[in-house]
Amino acid sequence: MTKCDMCEKEAAYTRKYSGQGLCSGCFSNSIARKTAKTISKYNMIRSGDLVAVAVSGGKDSLALLKIMHEMSASHNFGIVAVTIDEGIQGYRDEALGIVREFCDNLGVKCMVYSYADLFDMTLDEALVLRGEEKMSSCSICGTLRRRALDVAAKDVGADVVATGHNLDDTIQTFLINMLSGDTERIGWMDPGAQTSHPSRIKPFCEIYEAEIVFYAFTNDIPFQSEPCPHMNEGIRTEIREFFNSLEDRHSGAKNSLYQSVLKMSRIARNSGQKVGTVCGRCGSKCTGEVCSVCSTVLRLKGQT
């Protein structure tokens, strides 16, 4: 029997990249401590802030909500859960039910915002409208989701928007940006690069996805089991599988790449970014005449 390195109980999880064995309780505490340490290191939350936790119904966002809820009880900040309903028939209903019940059990207020209300179209309708347009479902959804979260944050008066993106998400996004030639985004992947209001934070950015999965299971967090029907349309699934295979053979490879991403992000940002302007259609900040959200909606509706 392998013993926990912290308390001598039976170990339930072993971190291959460090060799550390932990029981369920010590493991859960380590995730909470690492999350708090990341928040502190990058000054993600200030005293008196209201944090809008983006909750999708998946393992990452629900685990984040639980930890943020526990932290808010002993720190001077408040939280509210915001959920985005993309309008994917047969998929989102399960998640909405899970989120509402989970929030009720925690005593956390939950607000739901839909693509239908915000953009006059659901994601299902958007995918029909794209026709021959070379826009993947993930690209469309991601663009609209970012704007939906901005609207939600403004509506609830949040100072900070917290998302459940983990270390795996970061390195996957880095490679996607490199492959698509979208190198400007790399300059803003450093957690300390946030300058907007409300700021966007990723408290799980230094934690492996596999550890979030185990945290959810060991804490009996009920998360959505039904995968997004469009998840395999983009390249992210293949990249995830590649990195997981690499990590299996070379423990710590993901963390090494993450550290390199941070260094490259700082170099890219310091080399100079495009000067921000204002979208001529909606007034939001962007780097061109029209922001990515308005551009996407206009293309879908055939108005460009």
Side-chain angles (χ1 to χ4, degrees), residues 56-279:
S56 66
K59 61 187 184 314
D60 302 285
S61 62
L62 290 172
L64 178 63
L65 181 62
K66 180 180 185 301
I67 291 175
M68 296 296 288
H69 172 66
E70 292 169 352
M71 287 184 62
S72 68
S74 56
H75 294 73
N76 187 31
F77 68 86
I79 65 169
V80 58
V82 294
T83 298
I84 307 303
D85 180 4
E86 308 93 341
I88 305 175
Q89 190 171 8
Y91 166 70
R92 183 45 71 193
D93 289 345
E94 178 195 15
L96 290 174
I98 291 173
V99 170
R100 289 192 177 100
E101 182 176 357
F102 195 74
C103 288
D104 285 344
N105 290 337
L106 291 179
V108 175
K109 181 180 180 181
C110 179
M111 303 289 288
V112 179
Y113 298 82
S114 71
Y115 285 1
D117 290 338
L118 297 175
F119 309 114
D120 294 322
M121 70 175 84
T122 65
L123 182 63
D124 285 345
E125 292 168 342
L127 297 184
V128 173
L129 288 172
R130 67 178 168 172
E132 298 300 319
E133 283 277 2
K134 294 182 179 179
M135 292 188 289
S136 71
S137 57
C138 291
S139 175
I140 295 171
C141 189
T143 299
L144 299 183
R145 177 183 293 277
R146 284 189 292 273
R147 174 59 57 82
L149 285 175
D150 287 339
V151 173
K154 183 177 181 180
D155 186 56
V156 302
D159 303 288
V160 180
V161 176
T163 62
H165 293 92
N166 53 54
L167 183 147
D168 292 58
D169 294 319
T170 300
I171 61 176
Q172 291 162 18
T173 298
F174 169 77
L175 186 53
I176 289 171
N177 288 337
M178 292 291 286
L179 292 173
S180 64
D182 197 359
T183 54
E184 289 177 7
R185 291 183 182 272
I186 294 172
W188 301 101
M189 296 189 72
D190 177 8
Q194 290 294 324
T195 58
S196 61
H197 183 83
S199 59
R200 294 288 187 92
I201 66 171
K202 302 173 182 178
F204 284 167
C205 65
E206 299 188 345
I207 302 176
Y208 277 28
E209 179 180 26
E211 296 192 1
I212 303 299
V213 172
F214 188 76
Y215 178 90
F217 276 115
T218 199
N219 284 278
D220 297 320
I221 295 176
F223 54 87
Q224 184 171 26
S225 59
E226 184 71 21
C228 175
H230 308 295
M231 66 177 292
N232 292 323
E233 186 176 320
I235 197 173
R236 186 177 290 272
T237 298
E238 296 172 69
I239 292 175
R240 177 186 293 109
E241 292 172 352
F242 165 71
F243 281 137
N244 285 341
S245 176
L246 187 66
E247 181 72 20
D248 285 341
R249 298 194 303 273
H250 307 281
S251 294
K254 289 180 182 179
N255 187 61
S256 295
L257 178 56
Y258 175 76
Q259 297 303 321
S260 295
V261 169
L262 295 187
K263 292 177 183 177
M264 294 178 68
S265 175
R266 291 160 189 163
I267 292 171
R269 191 169 71 257
N270 292 333
S271 68
Q273 295 288 319
K274 286 186 177 180
V275 178
T277 58
V278 176
C279 173

